Amino acid sequence: MVKTILIANKSLPFSKIGSWTSMYDYYLQQEHYIDYIICPKPQTKYKNIEYKFTDNNIFQKIKIKYFNYHKFNFILKEIEDIIEPNTKYIVQFVDSFAGVNYIIKNLNKKYQKKTFYYQFFYHGFPPFYGNGEHEVFYNDIDEMILLTQKSYKEHVRLYTNLPCKFSILHNGVNTDLFFKFSQEQKLELRQKEGFSIDKKIFLWLSQDRPKKGLDFILNVWKKIDEEVLKDSELWIIGSNRQFNIQGVKSLGRKPNKDLPKYYQMADVYLFPTLCQEGFGLSLIEALHCGCYPIASKLGGVPEVLHNGKFGKLIENPHFEFEWKEEIERIMNSKIKDFQNNFDVKLYTLENWSKQMNVLINEAKKTIL
């Protein structure tokens, strides 16, 4: 018998906004192969899954602070409490590198390596460790799951030794929520929500952090000629700041359930990330809703956009003039002249869930 243990550094279900947590939320309500979840205590629980909680009580905190007790020993004890005779386990870690080697080392020592298959899911893009520092980690895990082939190639480029298996699992979105409106439906929704039906709508939607490029794109917007700008608006969602800039509307923060309609009302999605994004969940939400993306050619983004087939990639995204040139080109074009040509069968949560089950089934075959 083989069972699967998911170790997460966020509670599942997760009550706040989160990319990978929303995918697990969908998956764990479908046909799934997770038997145990070890995580911080959530507000509610999934049915038919056994939970172990990682929240440290006061006595555990005292042990860590005053008695040199390893802080990941508590997670280790929760795993050990699960282990049964004549059973093997797939152990899934998500994003958090801290404590992985400690947990694996001690489990292998007590139960032998052949009892476990270790999967690590990484939602970033660049390799986490420097070359030479990585060897213990990759020797310990059995499989590294990345978001893109491009990230894998970056790992191969940096590391001289990679002894574990690699797999790719693209992000996905719920297509029951994120889908394209016709032009007529788009304008009807704008009118209903009190927005202009005569302007091209550009949308920026993210967390308001410097690496997400909001201030950068606002500086670009300010430099666009007024005559070109007059028939366009830029909507900002995800920031509580107000901007006294012509054609810019700050719509504040919106709950996840309201996001689809803003993508569906928009014409162009701006993704001016200034870092190497792993994938860009908002980017594929916008694609499914019919937005034409203009995005930084960084990290996994080119692969997501099929190297420009589904939108415009800015070759040098830290250069303002390249953004200005492309934005002005769209402003001077007709709606029919810029479409994202997106294949809606890509990047769905249905596919993500099926592929997760494939990964678990393949791991079971390996460990048996």
Side-chain angles (χ1 to χ4, degrees), residues 262-296:
Y262 291 99
Y263 290 120
Q264 289 159 343
M265 287 189 286
D267 299 301
V268 181
Y269 185 64
L270 299 178
F271 194 74
T273 179
L274 301 176
C275 66
Q276 292 186 330
E277 292 276 348
F279 201 85
L281 189 65
S282 67
L283 185 57
I284 59 175
E285 290 172 345
L287 281 169
H288 273 283
C289 291
C291 291
Y292 180 81
I294 307 176
S296 300

Side-chain angles (χ1 to χ4, degrees), residues 97-106 129 136-138 140-141:
F97 287 81
V100 170
N101 295 115
Y102 177 83
I103 291 169
I104 292 176
K105 176 184 176 182
N106 283 279
Y129 293 106
V136 172
F137 176 81
Y138 289 96
D140 281 347
I141 66 170

Side-chain angles (χ1 to χ4, degrees), residues 271-275 294-299 301-302 312-314 317 323:
F271 194 74
T273 179
L274 301 176
C275 66
I294 307 176
S296 300
K297 192 176 181 180
L298 290 175
V301 172
K312 175 65 177 180
L313 290 166
I314 301 299
W323 287 93

Side-chain angles (χ1 to χ4, degrees), residues 1 46 143 175 186 243 248 254 269 279 282 301 348-349:
M1 180 182 294
Y46 296 111
E143 185 176 7
T175 52
K186 177 186 292 189
F243 309 100
V248 174
K254 302 293 180 183
Y269 185 64
F279 201 85
S282 67
V301 172
T348 70
L349 275 181

